[in-house]
Amino acid sequence: MLEKLVIATHNKGKVVEMATSLQEHVRTILSADDIDVPEVEETEDSFAGNALLKARACAKATKLPSLADDSGLCVNALGGKPGIHSARWAELEGQEGRDFKLAMGFIDDKLGKNKDRSAYFIAVLALVFPDGEEHIFEGRIEGNLIWPPSGDKGFGYDPMFVPEGKRQTFGEMEPEEKRKISHRAKALAKLSEFLKTYA
Ligand code: IMP
């Protein structure tokens, strides 16, 4: 059992999902809303690199074990794009906010008539201790991209992603069902396994 853990994000959805999954293994879970956590620019060129940047900065500032994540959609026929730029592809030039209809449209346009519409979501969690100990946990879910997008239950690229072996997009699926199979759930399950052994 870990005494304290800081989740280095203000994203409430992520905090709830991570805290729910880790509650058996951590006595007190804090988030960036409870404790001052530095804002970090994601300057690395990999998911793990960016997750580590955020977790290291948080561990240094708070002197507590810190958890950060980075995630995205990788499209095989596009060489893994949008990848670490998944959020950025939805940013509108000169305007605030994000438009994922636009970002999904970019992907579909770039795929054109390509028969390979396979893609995967990936989530990487970085756990960093104040003494410098570091661990990485990765989860992936494979699937295919459909057009037009369908469903309004999820977020981001969910409406165009059909997980392998399923008929519905992540956007059509009940949130509990997505939470059981998602990339983030898989990474969290690996982290839970690790924390079970943590004295
Ligand atoms: P970040 O991990 O907060 O940097 O966000 C990465 C981006 O990847 C999000 O803005 C979404 O565009 C995309 N993404 C990550 N996970 C999911 C998911 O489960 N569904 C849909 N989009 C996702």
Side-chain angles (χ1 to χ4, degrees), residues 141-144 161-169 173 177 181:
I141 178 152
E142 306 283 342
N144 283 290
F161 184 82
V162 181
E164 237 164 47
K166 303 281 176 189
R167 285 168 175 226
Q168 290 178 309
T169 67
M173 225 173 246
E177 199 184 340
I181 60 172

Side-chain angles (χ1 to χ4, degrees), residues 13 15 26 39 50 52 59 62 79 82 91 119 137 146 149 165 179 181 189 195:
V15 173
V26 185
E39 286 285 333
N50 284 325
L52 275 170
T62 62
E91 273 164 17
F137 307 91
I146 60 150
R179 238 175 272 138
I181 60 172
L195 290 177

Side-chain angles (χ1 to χ4, degrees), residues 46-63:
S46 67
F47 291 101
N50 284 325
L52 275 170
L53 270 186
K54 292 183 267 186
R56 281 179 190 147
C58 182
K60 192 169 170 206
T62 62
K63 312 241 176 332

Side-chain angles (χ1 to χ4, degrees), residues 6 20 77 83 88 91-92 96 106 119 125 135 140 165 172-173 177 179 193 197:
V6 185
T20 308
R88 235 166 289 168
E91 273 164 17
L92 295 166
E96 292 224 353
F106 284 157
L125 296 171
H135 299 272
R140 284 185 191 211
E172 293 167 325
M173 225 173 246
E177 199 184 340
R179 238 175 272 138
E193 273 306 305
T197 63

